[in-house]
Amino acid sequence: MQSNPRVFLHEVFQPLAQQQQEPLRKAIRVLSLDGGGIRGIAVARILEGIERETCKRIHELFDVIVGTSTGGLLAVMMSIEVPETPDEMVEGICEEEKEHATLRKRQIQLKKELNLQRYRSVLTAEQAKNLYRLKAREIFHEEHNWWHSLTDRYKPLNILNHWLTSKYKDGDGLVRVVRDLYQYNGFPDAKTCVGVVVTERKSQQTVLLNCTNAKIFDEENFHHNLGLHQLVRATSAAPTYFNPIIVHNPFFWANRDNQRRERNNLRSSEFRDGYILQAKRRAYAFEDGGVTCNNPSVKAFKYARDLLDLYGDHPHEYQFQVYSIGTGELEPREYEEIDRDLSSKDTGSGNYHALKRILLPAFSDPFEITKTSRADHEKMEGILNDLHFRTQIPQKYFRIQFQAPKEVLEQLDNCDEASMQELEMYGKNVVECSPVFQEAIETLKVEVIRPKNLVSYSPSFENRE
């Protein structure tokens, strides 16, 4: 008796179809957010699109979130809960209690404006976008300053601000907005691993302040244990806009007394044998991470890799999925015009051409946001290609970016309603039209095995370098 050919085909091809289904793969998902001032509105709109397409919150989708400047503010808002508001506000007699009650009242008002509940919750991307729209003028509130009134009118003079004065000085508006919302909370309240990139002004070294190091309360990590208002202020301290923030070491004076006491108990022979007490930092001066690393994708990748090492998982067993969102770059025709101006052979001395070659890029991109972001983008591509070659695991990297005219990208603090709407439209266009965004969404929808409880891991002193 012959078998039914349909049954035979079903028996043969069903196992093949099952084999073609890709098995669950170990993966760690990393989100990197560029700096760019008010252009963070476009990034928030892109994050809003990710939440809508996946029906999940950002802190649920990503294991590591790292941001620079305005990206650092977004990283905080996407990963840390807003404190619960008490049902009753009791105003005390002393000034400290009155100040605390006033702060709570401002928090209640801000929560109403953002349509937040009274209980603890993490902001959605839409609420983060609305915070920009509501508080941009408070953050970028310029005192009367004749110099900046002049340089805003004549853009080439803007580059001189770095050596003269900061436009918004100590960033009181930014500090007030973040403190109103998060009170005095810090990194330990994060729902997923989060970090912000800053630049140490003296050494010009890039530093990643993160919630993992914030769990170690000692003298070497004091700068990780800051309030969120200080962390956001540090990563946003762009030259010409905000003054650097000085972070003092709370352990310095106590340890100095202990060192003096210990030194007095030592014999002189021990000093001759090379016993020298290590000097500790009294304070750090931090400025915008965008000065050295506006695109923090490489920093975010290394943070994720180190977390896996600390957690006891081998990074080579994981697929790294890096999602890097930029704050805009020039349109191709704009680059062509700059290159044409730089290579033009107009009549004039060689000194004129040399001076134009130096100054023209500075005027079109004074903080070199586009240049440094592109360099970090290429470096990230190289790292993942090398990792793929060594592990034979296909890595995933998505650079989600939009293009805009020079006039839109030049002003990092333009709070006009029309300008903010335009920035939101750029983010919306990415969500609706970008093939890279759509590919990223499809990857996020694929079920993978992700490392669990990375954010709750507390590193020991033995694990530190």
Side-chain angles (χ1 to χ4, degrees):
M1 181 178 177
Q2 294 183 350
S3 61
N4 188 333
R6 292 186 179 180
V7 175
F8 175 76
L9 289 174
H10 176 75
E11 291 174 350
V12 171
F13 286 104
Q14 187 178 28
L16 289 177
Q18 290 176 352
Q19 291 176 7
Q20 289 174 359
Q21 291 179 358
E22 186 178 353
L24 290 178
R25 184 188 296 279
K26 283 187 174 182
I28 182 168
R29 288 172 171 163
V30 180
L31 177 63
S32 168
L33 304 172
D34 283 21
I38 195 63
R39 283 145 58 176
I41 291 178
V43 179
R45 181 63 183 87
I46 295 171
L47 294 174
E48 182 184 351
I50 292 176
E51 289 189 337
R52 288 183 178 178
E53 293 287 340
T54 60
C55 299
K56 290 184 179 180
R57 305 285 285 277
I58 294 298
H59 72 273
E60 297 170 341
L61 288 168
F62 297 98
D63 304 295
V64 172
I65 304 176
V66 172
T68 295
S69 191
T70 191
L73 174 59
L74 283 167
V76 165
M77 291 192 289
M78 295 293 97
S79 58
I80 298 181
E81 289 182 330
V82 176
E84 186 176 358
T85 305
D87 295 330
E88 297 182 1
M89 297 297 299
V90 180
E91 295 192 19
I93 300 176
C94 67
E95 291 297 325
E96 184 178 353
E97 291 176 342
K98 290 181 178 179
E99 181 182 355
H100 188 70
T102 302
L103 188 61
R104 285 293 193 182
K105 288 179 180 178
R106 291 207 301 265
Q107 185 199 39
I108 293 174
Q109 178 61 32
L110 186 53
K111 280 188 171 184
K112 288 181 179 178
E113 293 176 349
L114 295 175
N115 196 24
L116 271 171
Q117 303 297 326
R118 296 176 69 89
Y119 55 81
R120 297 171 65 91
S121 60
V122 180
L123 267 66
T124 65
E126 183 180 9
Q127 289 167 335
K129 180 192 69 179
N130 292 337
L131 182 68
Y132 275 91
R133 300 287 293 268
L134 287 169
K135 298 297 181 179
R137 290 181 179 83
E138 185 174 343
I139 293 173
F140 298 113
H141 174 67
E142 182 182 1
E143 299 179 5
H144 180 67
N145 187 318
W146 66 268
W147 171 253
H148 284 287
S149 299
L150 175 65
T151 56
D152 279 348
R153 183 173 299 177
Y154 302 103
K155 297 301 179 183
L157 296 178
N158 210 351
I159 197 66
L160 300 177
N161 290 347
H162 182 76
W163 295 279
L164 294 173
T165 179
S166 297
K167 193 172 183 178
Y168 305 109
K169 301 188 182 302
D170 293 326
D172 295 335
L174 176 61
V175 171
R176 184 166 53 252
V177 169
V178 178
R179 190 167 55 193
D180 286 352
L181 192 58
Y182 292 98
Q183 307 295 292
Y184 293 98
N185 282 15
F187 270 155
D189 302 289
K191 302 292 286 184
T192 190
C193 296
V194 60
V196 298
V197 176
V198 299
T199 301
E200 205 283 307
R201 192 178 192 187
K202 183 176 181 180
S203 63
Q204 286 296 293
Q205 289 184 343
T206 306
V207 181
L208 177 64
L209 306 179
N210 61 80
C211 67
T212 306
N213 282 346
K215 295 173 183 176
I216 303 177
F217 297 92
D218 71 343
E219 187 170 2
E220 293 182 11
N221 278 354
F222 74 91
H223 49 296
H224 293 267
N225 289 283
L226 302 175
L228 294 179
H229 60 287
Q230 294 172 298
L231 290 164
V232 171
R233 171 71 177 82
T235 191
S236 303
T240 80
Y241 288 95
F242 300 109
N243 293 332
I245 180 174
I246 309 299
V247 179
H248 295 278
N249 184 351
F251 300 92
F252 179 79
W253 294 107
N255 279 356
R256 200 174 74 157
D257 293 339
N258 293 336
Q259 289 180 11
R260 186 185 297 111
R261 197 176 299 112
E262 186 176 353
R263 187 183 293 110
N264 292 336
N265 293 333
L266 292 172
R267 299 190 304 274
S268 59
S269 60
E270 290 178 293
F271 280 104
R272 286 196 300 270
D273 292 337
Y275 187 95
I276 301 175
L277 293 170
Q278 185 179 5
K280 302 295 184 181
R281 292 296 296 266
R282 181 175 179 178
Y284 283 103
F286 289 136
E287 60 184 4
D288 195 324
V291 173
T292 55
C293 181
N294 194 68
N295 174 359
S297 55
V298 176
K299 282 288 182 183
F301 166 81
K302 291 180 178 179
Y303 179 33
R305 182 195 60 193
D306 294 344
L307 276 170
L308 291 176
D309 275 332
L310 287 174
Y311 197 66
D313 283 352
H314 201 292
H316 286 182
E317 297 176 358
Y318 279 83
Q319 178 188 71
F320 283 83
Q321 297 182 3
V322 181
Y323 302 78
S324 176
I325 305 180
T327 56
E329 62 181 3
L330 291 175
E331 297 173 345
R333 60 180 180 83
E334 301 272 2
Y335 284 116
E336 292 174 3
E337 290 177 5
I338 292 176
D339 292 339
R340 187 164 55 250
D341 289 340
L342 288 175
S343 60
S344 62
K345 298 181 179 180
D346 299 333
T347 56
S349 65
N351 293 334
Y352 166 76
H353 289 293
L355 185 63
K356 187 171 70 171
R357 188 174 295 274
I358 294 173
L359 295 181
L360 189 60
F363 293 154
S364 61
D365 190 13
F367 296 103
E368 296 190 325
I369 289 177
T370 301
K371 180 181 177 181
T372 58
S373 294
R374 186 182 298 167
D376 287 324
H377 160 61
E378 293 173 356
K379 187 176 180 180
M380 187 72 258
E381 280 186 325
I383 289 173
L384 291 181
N385 287 335
D386 180 63
L387 187 61
H388 181 195
F389 176 77
R390 287 188 285 118
T391 64
Q392 300 304 310
I393 297 176
Q395 308 298 322
K396 297 286 187 178
Y397 175 56
F398 304 95
R399 177 62 174 167
I400 303 172
Q401 183 66 289
F402 64 91
Q403 294 177 345
K406 183 172 63 174
E407 294 74 20
V408 174
L409 301 180
E410 276 182 343
Q411 303 209 7
L412 305 181
D413 58 343
N414 188 350
C415 302
D416 294 340
E417 187 63 29
S419 176
M420 291 191 287
Q421 287 181 358
E422 185 177 8
L423 287 169
E424 187 174 344
M425 285 300 301
Y426 282 114
K428 183 180 178 182
N429 290 338
V430 169
V431 172
E432 295 178 350
C433 305
S434 170
V436 178
F437 177 84
Q438 296 301 327
E439 186 181 353
I441 292 298
E442 293 302 320
T443 305
L444 285 171
K445 289 180 178 179
V446 175
E447 188 176 356
V448 293
I449 300 174
R450 294 164 56 192
K452 296 181 179 179
N453 301 322
L454 281 181
V455 69
S456 61
Y457 179 73
S458 297
S460 62
F461 288 96
E462 291 78 11
N463 288 330
R464 298 171 61 195
E465 297 181 357

